[in-house]
Amino acid sequence: MTLLILGGTVLVFAIVVGNTYLASREIIFVEAEKRARNLAASLAARLEQEFRAIAKVPLGVVAVLETQEQNMELLSRLLYRSLEHNREIYGMAVGYEPYTKGDQKYHCLYYYREGTGIRSTYLGSENYDYFQMDWYFLPRKLLRPIWTEPYFDEGGGNILMCTYSIPFSGRPAIPDSKPMSGVVTADMSLSWLHLIMSGGDTGLNGYAFLISETGRFIVHPQQKLVMRESIFSLAEEAIQPQLRNLGRKMVRLPGGFERIESVLSPSPVVVAFSRVPSPGWSVAVVLPEDELFSELHAHNQQTALMVLVGISLLFVVILLISRSITRPIHFMVQATAKVASGNLAVDLAPIHGRDEIGRLAEAFTHMSNELQQYIKDLTTTTALNERIHSELNIAAQIQASILPSTFPPFPEHDDFSLYAQMKPAREIGGDFYDFFLIDEERLALVMADVSGKGVPAALFMMVSRTIIKSLATQGKSPAEVLAEANDLLCQGNDAAMFVTTFLAYYHVAAGTLIMSNAGHNPPYRIDADGVVHALPKPPGTALGFIPGLAYTEKEESLAPGETLVFYTDGVTEATAPDGQFFGEDRLIGLLSQYYQLELEDTCHRIIEVLDKFQAGEQFDDITLLMIKRT
Amino acid sequence: MEVQTQQKNGATVVAVTGRLDAVTAPDLEKTLAGLVDQNQLKIILNMTGLSYISSAGLRCVLSTSKKLGAKRGKLILTGVMGMVKEVFQMAGLYDLLTIFSTDEEALKGG
């Protein structure tokens, strides 16, 4: 992430800096061109000015020569004065056509500076045949004033110079006289040119140079090139077509601007040139590019440095920030992994701070603590549940062992068979049955259903059973037993529990029954042929509701082969998934179907069917007690 | 099971519909206990919509009846019919409780 941010920042910076740089470069180029051109033009203009100024002087002399009588003294004075008043002129000469002065071939008066004074001499000899020299030859040929190429005037001025030479024709004495009588010259020393040329501001490493009409270097910072090389020869030597092109342009065009690479100097330069019309020369101003841009480069370097520092700082800041984010997150990730593996004791204390990360850490710690607590509670609850469950299992065992469950219960009695079963809806139930001998002859049968199920019902069931058995074994009649039991059960019965009870005393030998009912379903009687009869229901309110109630008794008898079936409403009110009740009819049907089986088997069959009917869900305790007179 | 409570002529009519068994009885018990605590001493329990009542349901009814009795209040049952009536009769409770056919009669008579 850090790298991404950094990358983006660097990109932005790069674009901005790059753009600025390029824009600046552009501007500099434009300015440089302007500057160079201006400089070249101004130099050229100054040179031109000088040339023109110098040109005027011999022109004056020509005017005199062409209008006055030939007077050498006058001429001498003129030349002297001209030289005296024109510091720029090094020397002036008046050279005549051959044999103008009698039999003298050469006649050339020359005034020149030497030191601080002015001297004169006559030029012309075998060694100095001035007729062949450019300053005489060219104007004679062209019959117009010319500026010569620079030359070294050996035997004459003995310096490097160039000369302005004007042909004149003296006062025509004879009509068919020659077109030219001679020339008047004015010399300009090149060293003085140098002065002008070096006067321009070409910067630290820039320079100006001057080439002649033929491209020859007249002024150049590299002395060895002056007069010896031309721009073309230089181009030839260095095999630089660019330079040659420049030269061509310079000698032809009035002005221009070029960019030359690594020829005139190792690095690229810009060149502006401007023509000096009089001599047909060209001034060039050379500015090294890197100097132009030196300031820009320096500035750029500064900017780059600032950018670099800025980016480094930014980098550090970003790093710190992202670390302050990612470190805590990394920390929390680790903590989460720890929690996931079950170790909830995570410590996020190292993360502090008021920002979102801090809050996240807080929330995480909170969650972790909550989780710890929850797990603790859950563990406790589960342990508790397991304990309760195991206790319930024990309770179920206790309950099961309390209800008589040994069958056959009275093996010595072969005059009846008996079977009973209680299937609780939960681990322990509220239904109960009981049977016990009251005396040798009578068997008490109890079928009861406590309101509700589970532990509360079971507790009440235990109490009820005990009370009933204890009362019955005291010899009381069924009605008496129920009445007293009711009173006892109403006491301390804040939960308004009640128990429906059917109590019957069966005289074993006679097969007679005395029955009393407290709100319970009466039993069925299956006769020997399997026909099921419902016994009438003796009225009576369930035990435990209100005290002081009385109960009635009814008598019934069982013929041999007949079966009495006691049940609780858990059988008839068993509910199928679709809401249907099992009902009396189905029970009656089952009883008729299986009456011939052993009581135990009949019982089991019925329970099986009920199980299927309820599709495994049991809502209420199911109890069955069957007794058959054999 | 659904319980709807309504005030009528100074009595609270509680209409209960559906199954009243060990699962649903606690809800009714809570509602009725609440009314008793608020000293709503005349409560009419309308059982017209009841399809089934188990011993747990009976116990709830009996408990409420006893509580109201202790406060000199009265629980009146209405709309006791079908299977529900049989259960009450079987338990021998039908004659011991105050039962009317309709709410109107209960409001007038009780």
Side-chain angles (χ1 to χ4, degrees):
Chain A
M1 184 175 78
T2 312
L3 288 177
L4 198 66
I5 296 175
L6 202 65
T9 315
V10 169
L11 193 67
V12 168
F13 269 127
I15 291 174
V16 168
V17 169
N19 197 49
T20 311
Y21 180 75
L22 288 175
S24 305
R25 257 180 87 97
E26 255 322 291
I27 293 174
I28 286 179
F29 261 126
V30 169
E31 286 303 307
E33 187 177 326
K34 258 199 269 180
R35 186 165 134 230
R37 276 187 192 254
N38 284 345
L39 187 58
S42 79
L43 281 175
R46 280 198 60 200
L47 289 173
E48 178 68 11
Q49 206 177 34
E50 294 304 329
F51 278 97
R52 293 236 183 126
I54 289 177
K56 285 209 168 27
V57 178
L59 209 59
V61 176
V62 166
V64 168
L65 284 172
E66 286 186 342
T67 55
Q68 304 280 7
E69 282 280 348
Q70 295 284 336
N71 188 339
M72 288 316 293
E73 213 200 293
L74 179 65
L75 193 59
S76 297
R77 271 218 297 277
L78 190 59
L79 289 178
Y80 186 91
R81 290 286 280 278
S82 300
L83 216 56
E84 207 185 15
H85 288 145
N86 293 291
R87 300 228 73 95
E88 312 83 43
I89 300 176
Y90 175 79
M92 288 187 73
V94 177
Y96 288 93
E97 283 281 87
Y99 302 112
T100 309
K101 293 291 168 186
D103 53 358
Q104 231 182 315
K105 187 178 179 189
Y106 304 101
H107 187 65
C108 180
L109 181 59
Y110 183 55
Y111 271 81
Y112 61 98
R113 293 184 199 282
E114 192 176 77
T116 49
I118 297 172
R119 298 203 40 180
S120 69
T121 182
Y122 277 92
L123 301 174
S125 66
E126 305 255 319
N127 297 331
Y128 193 81
D129 184 6
Y130 66 75
F131 299 119
Q132 306 305 318
M133 296 187 176
D134 278 349
W135 55 265
Y136 195 92
F137 179 75
L138 287 173
R140 189 173 191 272
K141 190 97 199 251
L142 302 168
L143 291 177
R144 65 166 168 81
I146 55 108
W147 276 96
T148 64
E149 282 279 314
Y151 64 97
F152 198 75
D153 184 28
E154 269 192 90
N158 286 329
I159 57 158
L160 198 62
M161 60 169 76
C162 64
T163 307
Y164 190 56
S165 184
I166 310 176
F168 71 91
S169 53
R171 249 175 48 127
I174 310 152
D176 60 344
S177 59
K178 297 174 257 181
M180 181 179 111
S181 308
V183 299
V184 178
T185 70
D187 302 327
M188 180 165 69
S189 136
L190 286 184
S191 59
W192 173 91
L193 255 184
H194 230 275
L195 217 62
I196 297 185
M197 286 294 291
S198 58
D201 175 21
T202 51
L204 208 62
N205 291 317
Y207 58 88
F209 68 82
L210 185 63
I211 58 168
S212 71
E213 233 173 350
T214 59
R216 193 135 58 109
F217 288 111
I218 302 173
V219 177
H220 197 282
Q222 284 179 45
Q223 274 302 114
K224 63 173 193 200
L225 295 174
V226 172
M227 295 308 290
R228 291 195 190 92
E229 301 274 352
S230 75
I231 195 168
F232 299 109
S233 63
L234 206 64
E236 244 355 89
E237 251 172 65
I239 316 173
Q240 285 293 338
Q242 258 193 326
L243 197 58
R244 191 169 58 235
N245 285 336
L246 176 67
R248 282 215 197 109
K249 284 193 185 150
M250 282 178 77
V251 301
R252 251 204 296 276
L253 302 171
F257 182 82
E258 293 279 311
R259 186 173 175 271
I260 311 284
E261 281 173 28
S262 60
V263 169
L264 295 170
S265 41
S267 49
V269 296
V270 294
V271 180
F273 56 88
S274 192
R275 206 138 194 276
V276 187
S278 289
W281 296 349
S282 188
V283 176
V285 171
V286 180
L287 302 174
E289 239 181 25
D290 50 20
E291 194 182 307
L292 289 177
F293 296 114
S294 63
E295 248 183 67
L296 176 66
H297 283 149
H299 187 255
N300 217 46
Q301 269 176 357
Q302 206 182 35
T303 310
L305 197 69
M306 274 173 54
V307 165
L308 217 65
V309 170
I311 288 182
S312 311
L313 277 174
L314 202 62
F315 181 72
V316 170
V317 169
I318 290 172
L319 203 67
L320 285 175
I321 290 178
S322 71
R323 264 188 46 150
S324 84
I325 294 175
T326 57
R327 242 189 78 237
I329 288 183
H330 183 69
F331 210 73
M332 278 195 280
V333 166
Q334 279 183 330
T336 310
K338 256 170 75 181
V339 168
S341 71
N343 177 7
L344 288 173
V346 287
D347 179 23
L348 288 181
I351 303 174
H352 40 262
R354 293 178 181 241
D355 60 352
E356 292 84 332
I357 300 295
R359 285 208 289 271
L360 185 63
E362 262 180 54
F364 187 87
T365 312
H366 183 73
M367 180 190 79
S368 164
N369 287 340
E370 288 290 299
L371 209 60
Q372 258 180 312
Q373 188 61 38
Y374 177 74
I375 289 180
K376 229 195 314 181
D377 292 343
L378 196 62
T379 314
T380 315
T381 312
T382 310
L384 195 68
N385 276 349
E386 279 182 17
R387 189 161 56 84
I388 290 176
H389 195 78
S390 71
E391 283 187 357
L392 279 179
N393 281 338
I394 296 172
Q397 281 177 22
I398 293 174
Q399 197 181 48
S401 62
I402 281 190
L403 296 186
S405 49
T406 325
F407 298 102
F410 310 103
E412 63 281 10
H413 280 274
D414 53 0
D415 37 9
F416 68 88
S417 59
L418 191 147
Y419 188 76
Q421 186 175 358
M422 197 269 289
K423 189 164 182 272
R426 301 194 193 150
E427 284 89 348
I428 47 180
D431 282 3
F432 71 92
Y433 63 85
D434 204 0
F435 50 82
F436 47 89
L437 289 168
I438 310 169
D439 52 40
E440 285 170 19
E441 307 227 314
R442 292 181 301 169
L443 177 70
L445 299 166
V446 186
M447 180 59 88
D449 182 354
V450 176
S451 57
K453 48 191 178 291
V455 173
L459 290 174
F460 197 73
M461 166 269 205
M462 303 291 273
V463 170
S464 318
R465 182 200 178 256
T466 312
I467 290 176
I468 291 169
K469 181 161 185 182
S470 119
L471 289 171
T473 47
Q474 284 171 31
K476 298 194 159 81
S477 74
E480 284 170 348
V481 170
L482 289 183
E484 273 193 53
N486 180 47
D487 291 341
L488 286 169
L489 287 170
C490 283
Q491 293 171 21
N493 187 5
D494 293 338
M497 308 274 300
F498 62 86
V499 56
T500 64
T501 315
F502 197 96
L503 178 60
Y505 291 171
Y506 177 63
H507 196 284
V508 173
T512 54
L513 294 140
I514 304 177
M515 309 180 302
S516 192
N517 186 13
H520 198 84
N521 350 23
Y524 287 112
R525 178 171 64 85
I526 317 175
D527 64 24
D529 307 314
V531 177
V532 181
H533 307 268
L535 292 185
K537 178 180 142 95
T541 308
L543 306 178
F545 182 45
I546 53 173
L549 297 174
Y551 293 86
T552 58
E553 287 172 6
K554 271 224 165 69
E555 280 197 30
E556 189 68 39
S557 67
L558 218 56
E562 287 188 337
T563 315
L564 215 58
V565 179
F566 296 86
Y567 65 98
T568 59
D569 61 7
V571 174
T572 44
E573 285 174 14
T575 319
D578 62 6
Q580 260 189 61
F581 290 123
F582 192 73
E584 319 250 317
D585 296 334
R586 280 201 185 86
L587 178 60
I588 292 172
L590 284 177
L591 291 174
S592 334
Q593 201 179 346
Y594 297 120
Y595 81 101
Q596 283 170 318
L597 300 171
E598 289 295 318
L599 293 181
E600 191 172 331
D601 297 323
T602 313
C603 216
H604 288 156
R605 286 291 165 88
I606 294 173
I607 289 184
E608 254 176 54
V609 172
L610 279 171
D611 211 16
K612 246 193 279 190
F613 184 81
Q614 290 177 113
E617 289 262 4
Q618 190 176 330
F619 283 108
D620 204 354
D621 306 322
I622 290 171
T623 317
L624 287 164
L625 186 146
M626 298 186 202
I627 181 165
K628 187 174 188 176
R629 187 175 181 205
T630 47
Chain B
M1 184 205 70
E2 275 183 26
V3 179
Q4 278 181 343
T5 321
Q6 222 182 3
Q7 292 290 328
K8 256 189 195 172
N9 292 14
T12 314
V13 179
V14 181
V16 57
T17 53
R19 273 177 71 101
L20 190 59
D21 55 22
V23 174
T24 58
D27 289 337
L28 180 61
E29 180 120 32
K30 215 164 63 172
T31 311
L32 291 172
L35 292 171
V36 174
D37 288 341
Q38 289 168 32
N39 287 328
Q40 299 291 336
L41 299 181
K42 186 169 180 190
I43 300 177
I44 298 174
L45 191 60
N46 188 324
M47 299 179 138
T48 318
L50 217 57
S51 62
Y52 171 79
I53 187 165
S54 76
S55 54
L58 281 182
R59 199 190 59 73
C60 164
V61 171
L62 292 180
S63 166
T64 310
S65 174
K66 282 192 175 172
K67 278 195 220 156
L68 278 172
K71 282 190 160 183
R72 299 201 182 285
K74 200 153 194 185
L75 177 71
I76 305 172
L77 305 181
T78 61
V80 182
M81 45 198 192
M83 192 212 184
V84 176
K85 184 173 179 182
E86 276 180 35
V87 171
F88 272 103
Q89 284 175 325
M90 182 75 76
L93 299 170
Y94 193 81
D95 299 316
L96 296 176
L97 296 166
T98 317
I99 300 177
F100 284 93
S101 312
T102 61
D103 291 348
E104 287 67 37
E105 287 173 35
L107 287 164
K108 265 191 287 177

